Amino acid sequence: MNYAELIHRFIEAINDTDAASRRATIEEILTPDCTYTDPEIAVEGHDALDAAFAALQQGIPPGFRFGLSAPIDVHHRQARFFWRFGDPEAGTTAATGSDVAVFADGRIRHLYAFFDAANS
């Protein structure tokens, strides 16, 4: 799996409401010692990341999803990607931001998320 595919799978995992499926994706695409950091949380490991995604799912309005808003920029063992959060069917966007992913052993090891100022 190439780095861009890992990012697409990461977005799928965030949106996945099926706990078993989400956990399987997390274990497949992220290293066991993975970290995820954004302005609101910092977690380490599969258990903590899965719990963070499950908690996020609890507060998402029906129809809302994360999606990529630009091509993924990859070089060396890192990637930068831009995302949006909203209801694609209704054409609404509630939040936007960007992430930087660092890869190790063919998987995502670290993710650093940034929220756009307009979301505050």
mmCIF file of all heavy atoms in Angstrom, residues 72-97:
data_model
loop_
_atom_site.group_PDB
_atom_site.id
_atom_site.type_symbol
_atom_site.label_atom_id
_atom_site.label_comp_id
_atom_site.label_asym_id
_atom_site.label_seq_id
_atom_site.Cartn_x
_atom_site.Cartn_y
_atom_site.Cartn_z
ATOM 1 N N ILE A 72 -3.194 14.790 -2.235
ATOM 2 C CA ILE A 72 -2.257 14.492 -1.156
ATOM 3 C C ILE A 72 -0.842 14.794 -1.644
ATOM 4 O O ILE A 72 -0.455 14.400 -2.742
ATOM 5 C CB ILE A 72 -2.379 13.012 -0.734
ATOM 6 C CG1 ILE A 72 -3.805 12.714 -0.259
ATOM 7 C CG2 ILE A 72 -1.356 12.659 0.335
ATOM 8 C CD1 ILE A 72 -4.116 11.236 -0.151
ATOM 9 N N ASP A 73 -0.095 15.504 -0.831
ATOM 10 C CA ASP A 73 1.281 15.875 -1.155
ATOM 11 C C ASP A 73 2.217 14.941 -0.378
ATOM 12 O O ASP A 73 2.249 14.979 0.861
ATOM 13 C CB ASP A 73 1.502 17.335 -0.753
ATOM 14 C CG ASP A 73 2.856 17.877 -1.152
ATOM 15 O OD1 ASP A 73 3.527 17.275 -2.014
ATOM 16 O OD2 ASP A 73 3.248 18.921 -0.597
ATOM 17 N N VAL A 74 2.951 14.082 -1.094
ATOM 18 C CA VAL A 74 3.799 13.075 -0.460
ATOM 19 C C VAL A 74 5.244 13.245 -0.909
ATOM 20 O O VAL A 74 5.512 13.432 -2.102
ATOM 21 C CB VAL A 74 3.337 11.646 -0.831
ATOM 22 C CG1 VAL A 74 4.262 10.598 -0.243
ATOM 23 C CG2 VAL A 74 1.909 11.398 -0.421
ATOM 24 N N HIS A 75 6.161 13.216 0.028
ATOM 25 C CA HIS A 75 7.574 13.084 -0.299
ATOM 26 C C HIS A 75 8.289 12.463 0.891
ATOM 27 O O HIS A 75 7.873 12.586 2.029
ATOM 28 C CB HIS A 75 8.220 14.417 -0.716
ATOM 29 C CG HIS A 75 8.269 15.454 0.352
ATOM 30 N ND1 HIS A 75 9.257 15.514 1.305
ATOM 31 C CD2 HIS A 75 7.424 16.490 0.615
ATOM 32 C CE1 HIS A 75 9.043 16.546 2.103
ATOM 33 N NE2 HIS A 75 7.926 17.153 1.715
ATOM 34 N N HIS A 76 9.346 11.751 0.577
ATOM 35 C CA HIS A 76 10.120 10.998 1.549
ATOM 36 C C HIS A 76 9.175 10.108 2.360
ATOM 37 O O HIS A 76 8.379 9.376 1.779
ATOM 38 C CB HIS A 76 10.972 11.931 2.400
ATOM 39 C CG HIS A 76 12.011 12.630 1.582
ATOM 40 N ND1 HIS A 76 11.732 13.792 0.878
ATOM 41 C CD2 HIS A 76 13.298 12.336 1.313
ATOM 42 C CE1 HIS A 76 12.809 14.175 0.231
ATOM 43 N NE2 HIS A 76 13.784 13.307 0.473
ATOM 44 N N ARG A 77 9.177 10.185 3.650
ATOM 45 C CA ARG A 77 8.274 9.353 4.470
ATOM 46 C C ARG A 77 7.276 10.225 5.203
ATOM 47 O O ARG A 77 6.993 10.021 6.390
ATOM 48 C CB ARG A 77 9.092 8.495 5.442
ATOM 49 C CG ARG A 77 9.835 7.375 4.748
ATOM 50 C CD ARG A 77 10.506 6.467 5.738
ATOM 51 N NE ARG A 77 11.374 7.198 6.654
ATOM 52 C CZ ARG A 77 12.692 7.221 6.588
ATOM 53 N NH1 ARG A 77 13.314 6.546 5.654
ATOM 54 N NH2 ARG A 77 13.390 7.910 7.461
ATOM 55 N N GLN A 78 6.701 11.172 4.464
ATOM 56 C CA GLN A 78 5.714 12.073 5.070
ATOM 57 C C GLN A 78 4.712 12.519 4.011
ATOM 58 O O GLN A 78 4.985 12.442 2.821
ATOM 59 C CB GLN A 78 6.406 13.279 5.688
ATOM 60 C CG GLN A 78 7.229 14.082 4.707
ATOM 61 C CD GLN A 78 8.115 15.098 5.389
ATOM 62 O OE1 GLN A 78 8.044 15.297 6.598
ATOM 63 N NE2 GLN A 78 8.955 15.760 4.630
ATOM 64 N N ALA A 79 3.566 12.972 4.498
ATOM 65 C CA ALA A 79 2.524 13.462 3.600
ATOM 66 C C ALA A 79 1.783 14.611 4.274
ATOM 67 O O ALA A 79 1.669 14.661 5.497
ATOM 68 C CB ALA A 79 1.542 12.352 3.251
ATOM 69 N N ARG A 80 1.294 15.503 3.437
ATOM 70 C CA ARG A 80 0.433 16.597 3.897
ATOM 71 C C ARG A 80 -0.872 16.471 3.127
ATOM 72 O O ARG A 80 -0.868 16.246 1.908
ATOM 73 C CB ARG A 80 1.101 17.938 3.596
ATOM 74 C CG ARG A 80 0.228 19.132 3.938
ATOM 75 C CD ARG A 80 0.919 20.411 3.597
ATOM 76 N NE ARG A 80 1.114 20.499 2.152
ATOM 77 C CZ ARG A 80 1.404 21.611 1.507
ATOM 78 N NH1 ARG A 80 1.582 22.740 2.161
ATOM 79 N NH2 ARG A 80 1.569 21.615 0.191
ATOM 80 N N PHE A 81 -1.980 16.589 3.853
ATOM 81 C CA PHE A 81 -3.266 16.523 3.165
ATOM 82 C C PHE A 81 -4.253 17.495 3.799
ATOM 83 O O PHE A 81 -4.177 17.802 4.981
ATOM 84 C CB PHE A 81 -3.816 15.095 3.129
ATOM 85 C CG PHE A 81 -4.008 14.429 4.463
ATOM 86 C CD1 PHE A 81 -5.256 14.376 5.058
ATOM 87 C CD2 PHE A 81 -2.941 13.815 5.115
ATOM 88 C CE1 PHE A 81 -5.443 13.742 6.277
ATOM 89 C CE2 PHE A 81 -3.111 13.174 6.322
ATOM 90 C CZ PHE A 81 -4.366 13.140 6.909
ATOM 91 N N PHE A 82 -5.148 17.986 2.963
ATOM 92 C CA PHE A 82 -6.162 18.947 3.375
ATOM 93 C C PHE A 82 -7.515 18.247 3.395
ATOM 94 O O PHE A 82 -7.817 17.441 2.521
ATOM 95 C CB PHE A 82 -6.180 20.141 2.407
ATOM 96 C CG PHE A 82 -4.906 20.921 2.433
ATOM 97 C CD1 PHE A 82 -3.843 20.565 1.615
ATOM 98 C CD2 PHE A 82 -4.753 21.996 3.300
ATOM 99 C CE1 PHE A 82 -2.650 21.270 1.653
ATOM 100 C CE2 PHE A 82 -3.564 22.703 3.343
ATOM 101 C CZ PHE A 82 -2.511 22.339 2.520
ATOM 102 N N TRP A 83 -8.311 18.560 4.412
ATOM 103 C CA TRP A 83 -9.590 17.877 4.590
ATOM 104 C C TRP A 83 -10.708 18.894 4.864
ATOM 105 O O TRP A 83 -10.471 20.043 5.182
ATOM 106 C CB TRP A 83 -9.510 16.857 5.724
ATOM 107 C CG TRP A 83 -8.963 17.406 7.007
ATOM 108 C CD1 TRP A 83 -7.662 17.369 7.436
ATOM 109 C CD2 TRP A 83 -9.683 18.112 8.031
ATOM 110 N NE1 TRP A 83 -7.541 17.986 8.648
ATOM 111 C CE2 TRP A 83 -8.762 18.460 9.041
ATOM 112 C CE3 TRP A 83 -11.011 18.488 8.181
ATOM 113 C CZ2 TRP A 83 -9.142 19.154 10.195
ATOM 114 C CZ3 TRP A 83 -11.381 19.186 9.326
ATOM 115 C CH2 TRP A 83 -10.448 19.504 10.317
ATOM 116 N N ARG A 84 -11.902 18.378 4.698
ATOM 117 C CA ARG A 84 -13.105 19.143 5.050
ATOM 118 C C ARG A 84 -14.040 18.194 5.796
ATOM 119 O O ARG A 84 -13.973 16.983 5.628
ATOM 120 C CB ARG A 84 -13.773 19.711 3.807
ATOM 121 C CG ARG A 84 -14.372 18.663 2.913
ATOM 122 C CD ARG A 84 -14.962 19.249 1.625
ATOM 123 N NE ARG A 84 -15.323 18.197 0.716
ATOM 124 C CZ ARG A 84 -14.477 17.473 -0.006
ATOM 125 N NH1 ARG A 84 -13.189 17.677 0.079
ATOM 126 N NH2 ARG A 84 -14.902 16.516 -0.789
ATOM 127 N N PHE A 85 -14.879 18.775 6.615
ATOM 128 C CA PHE A 85 -15.851 18.013 7.386
ATOM 129 C C PHE A 85 -17.206 18.661 7.175
ATOM 130 O O PHE A 85 -17.353 19.872 7.350
ATOM 131 C CB PHE A 85 -15.479 18.026 8.873
ATOM 132 C CG PHE A 85 -16.505 17.410 9.765
ATOM 133 C CD1 PHE A 85 -16.734 16.048 9.736
ATOM 134 C CD2 PHE A 85 -17.255 18.191 10.619
ATOM 135 C CE1 PHE A 85 -17.687 15.466 10.558
ATOM 136 C CE2 PHE A 85 -18.205 17.624 11.447
ATOM 137 C CZ PHE A 85 -18.425 16.257 11.414
ATOM 138 N N GLY A 86 -18.165 17.872 6.775
ATOM 139 C CA GLY A 86 -19.505 18.409 6.547
ATOM 140 C C GLY A 86 -20.394 17.360 5.919
ATOM 141 O O GLY A 86 -20.102 16.165 5.956
ATOM 142 N N ASP A 87 -21.477 17.832 5.336
ATOM 143 C CA ASP A 87 -22.450 16.957 4.689
ATOM 144 C C ASP A 87 -22.284 17.099 3.178
ATOM 145 O O ASP A 87 -22.745 18.089 2.591
ATOM 146 C CB ASP A 87 -23.863 17.336 5.111
ATOM 147 C CG ASP A 87 -24.921 16.407 4.562
ATOM 148 O OD1 ASP A 87 -24.651 15.658 3.605
ATOM 149 O OD2 ASP A 87 -26.048 16.431 5.091
ATOM 150 N N PRO A 88 -21.616 16.132 2.528
ATOM 151 C CA PRO A 88 -21.378 16.261 1.094
ATOM 152 C C PRO A 88 -22.672 16.247 0.275
ATOM 153 O O PRO A 88 -22.739 16.878 -0.772
ATOM 154 C CB PRO A 88 -20.492 15.070 0.756
ATOM 155 C CG PRO A 88 -20.587 14.139 1.898
ATOM 156 C CD PRO A 88 -21.025 14.928 3.085
ATOM 157 N N GLU A 89 -23.695 15.551 0.752
ATOM 158 C CA GLU A 89 -24.974 15.511 0.034
ATOM 159 C C GLU A 89 -25.631 16.883 -0.005
ATOM 160 O O GLU A 89 -26.201 17.283 -1.007
ATOM 161 C CB GLU A 89 -25.922 14.496 0.696
ATOM 162 C CG GLU A 89 -25.432 13.072 0.652
ATOM 163 C CD GLU A 89 -25.544 12.467 -0.733
ATOM 164 O OE1 GLU A 89 -26.506 12.789 -1.458
ATOM 165 O OE2 GLU A 89 -24.648 11.675 -1.081
ATOM 166 N N ALA A 90 -25.549 17.611 1.109
ATOM 167 C CA ALA A 90 -26.147 18.943 1.200
ATOM 168 C C ALA A 90 -25.201 20.037 0.711
ATOM 169 O O ALA A 90 -25.591 21.187 0.574
ATOM 170 C CB ALA A 90 -26.561 19.231 2.647
ATOM 171 N N GLY A 91 -23.933 19.667 0.486
ATOM 172 C CA GLY A 91 -22.954 20.648 0.033
ATOM 173 C C GLY A 91 -22.507 21.606 1.122
ATOM 174 O O GLY A 91 -22.061 22.709 0.828
ATOM 175 N N THR A 92 -22.604 21.181 2.383
ATOM 176 C CA THR A 92 -22.192 22.048 3.488
ATOM 177 C C THR A 92 -20.840 21.607 4.043
ATOM 178 O O THR A 92 -20.524 20.419 4.080
ATOM 179 C CB THR A 92 -23.222 22.024 4.634
ATOM 180 O OG1 THR A 92 -23.352 20.683 5.109
ATOM 181 C CG2 THR A 92 -24.571 22.527 4.171
ATOM 182 N N THR A 93 -20.063 22.577 4.476
ATOM 183 C CA THR A 93 -18.785 22.317 5.116
ATOM 184 C C THR A 93 -18.798 23.001 6.476
ATOM 185 O O THR A 93 -18.998 24.209 6.564
ATOM 186 C CB THR A 93 -17.614 22.847 4.267
ATOM 187 O OG1 THR A 93 -17.638 22.174 3.001
ATOM 188 C CG2 THR A 93 -16.287 22.609 4.951
ATOM 189 N N ALA A 94 -18.582 22.223 7.527
ATOM 190 C CA ALA A 94 -18.595 22.755 8.887
ATOM 191 C C ALA A 94 -17.196 23.080 9.390
ATOM 192 O O ALA A 94 -17.035 23.936 10.254
ATOM 193 C CB ALA A 94 -19.262 21.760 9.833
ATOM 194 N N ALA A 95 -16.176 22.386 8.859
ATOM 195 C CA ALA A 95 -14.807 22.602 9.313
ATOM 196 C C ALA A 95 -13.841 22.177 8.213
ATOM 197 O O ALA A 95 -14.156 21.319 7.390
ATOM 198 C CB ALA A 95 -14.531 21.815 10.586
ATOM 199 N N THR A 96 -12.661 22.793 8.249
ATOM 200 C CA THR A 96 -11.589 22.429 7.323
ATOM 201 C C THR A 96 -10.271 22.430 8.081
ATOM 202 O O THR A 96 -10.176 23.013 9.166
ATOM 203 C CB THR A 96 -11.492 23.420 6.145
ATOM 204 O OG1 THR A 96 -11.274 24.733 6.669
ATOM 205 C CG2 THR A 96 -12.759 23.403 5.294
ATOM 206 N N GLY A 97 -9.285 21.773 7.501
ATOM 207 C CA GLY A 97 -7.975 21.762 8.120
ATOM 208 C C GLY A 97 -6.989 20.991 7.282
ATOM 209 O O GLY A 97 -7.255 20.662 6.123
#
